[in-house]
Amino acid sequence: AQTVTQSQPEMSVQEAETVTLSCTYDTSESDYYLFWYKQPPSRQMILVIRQEAYKQQNATENRFSVNFQKAAKSFSLKISDSQLGDAAMYFCAYRSASGAQKLVFGQGTRLTINP
Amino acid sequence: DAGVIQSPRHEVTEMGQEVTLRCKPISGHNSLFWYRQTMMRGLELLIYFNNNVPIDDSGMPEDRFSAKMPNASFSTLKIQPSEPRDSAVYFCASSLRQGFQPQHFGDGTRLSIL
């Protein structure tokens, strides 16, 4: 079974600075998808960014980018120019490309933005 | 476009009562998922449907839990009888089944069993 590990329960960053959240996963599959979701205090689960495993190019979405290292099974999220609205729980998630469609989530990282 | 709609947003009830959570997926989506979020276990899949058919219910904790999807625009998750350990946030999500499609989540139902 696949597992996702987020080793940083909490992180903090100064407003306008850059922060990187870590995620590692374990799988025997070669094709899969990876996601980062954001959960603010409002409880919504908001998709931040996604990556297809067979694509070597790292995904970017405005201030959000990933560092995908397939061999190391690592998928970190970089947030540039941090804003107060970025404060939230961030979840890394794995989904098989050929088997089960379910998302397997990490335990989450709580990100605090200091003004 | 309307997102995934869940009701109720909050539910407080007494142990032993029947609880029904409702979900309307995004129109056109053919996969629907029920997740549960707790402090101890994090986010975990309970069950998912493709084209209204249950595909994987291995995450359903026990026979007290049941889920149905009578049509493409509606699903229910029922707990009968409810227990305090069922207290959690329950999320419904939907997606297109094909390819690299993300799951879109509803706002969740916070369930408290007293």
Side-chain angles (χ1 to χ4, degrees):
Chain A
Q2 295 83 17
T3 58
V4 177
T5 301
Q6 293 179 247
S7 59
Q8 306 153 316
E10 297 184 352
M11 292 281 286
S12 63
V13 64
Q14 291 295 126
E15 193 176 2
E17 297 294 307
T18 296
V19 65
T20 298
L21 308 184
S22 301
C23 172
T24 58
Y25 57 93
D26 187 28
T27 184
S28 59
E29 298 178 324
S30 58
D31 198 13
Y32 47 86
Y33 308 125
L34 296 165
F35 303 85
W36 279 97
Y37 281 86
K38 167 185 176 182
Q39 186 178 39
S42 63
R43 197 172 78 205
Q44 294 174 290
M45 290 289 289
I46 302 165
L47 178 68
V48 175
I49 198 166
R50 51 179 169 160
Q51 175 81 39
E52 297 174 83
Y54 71 86
K55 286 190 175 179
Q56 292 191 347
Q57 185 174 5
N58 289 322
T60 62
E61 288 286 344
N62 301 313
R63 297 183 296 107
F64 298 87
S65 61
V66 298
N67 184 3
F68 173 49
Q69 301 290 328
K70 191 172 184 179
K73 296 180 182 175
S74 171
F75 183 60
S76 61
L77 174 69
K78 186 171 84 171
I79 306 173
S80 303
D81 185 25
S82 298
Q83 300 176 0
L84 295 177
D86 295 333
M89 284 289 288
Y90 285 81
F91 292 94
C92 178
Y94 171 102
R95 203 199 96 188
S96 171
S98 58
Q101 292 171 251
K102 68 178 184 182
L103 289 171
V104 177
F105 287 92
Q107 288 297 99
T109 296
R110 182 176 301 282
L111 178 64
T112 301
I113 312 295
N114 300 313
Chain B
D1 287 344
V4 176
I5 299 172
Q6 289 187 247
S7 64
R9 184 157 173 81
H10 304 278
E11 175 87 10
V12 181
T13 192
E14 292 189 347
M15 178 174 137
Q17 296 298 306
E18 179 179 289
V19 174
T20 300
L21 309 183
R22 297 173 175 79
C23 176
K24 178 179 170 57
I26 292 172
S27 178
H29 282 188
N30 49 11
S31 294
L32 183 139
F33 307 80
W34 283 100
Y35 291 91
R36 180 170 68 174
Q37 184 176 30
T38 62
M39 289 295 293
M40 291 298 294
R41 298 176 65 89
L43 277 153
E44 52 184 353
L45 179 81
L46 298 177
I47 186 171
Y48 79 91
F49 298 82
N50 282 342
N51 297 316
N52 313 338
V53 177
I55 302 300
D56 181 358
D57 66 354
S58 59
M60 296 285 264
E62 48 199 272
D63 291 347
R64 297 185 297 106
F65 284 68
S66 63
K68 294 182 179 180
M69 192 164 186
N71 57 61
S73 58
F74 185 65
S75 177
T76 59
L77 178 67
K78 189 171 292 188
I79 309 172
Q80 167 63 20
S82 57
E83 297 182 3
R85 59 187 167 135
D86 302 331
S87 298
V89 178
Y90 291 81
F91 285 101
C92 177
S94 72
S95 74
L96 289 169
R97 182 182 175 186
Q98 307 89 308
F100 181 34
Q101 300 296 330
Q103 294 177 20
H104 299 268
F105 284 74
D107 288 345
T109 295
R110 179 176 294 281
L111 177 63
S112 298
I113 310 297
L114 306 177

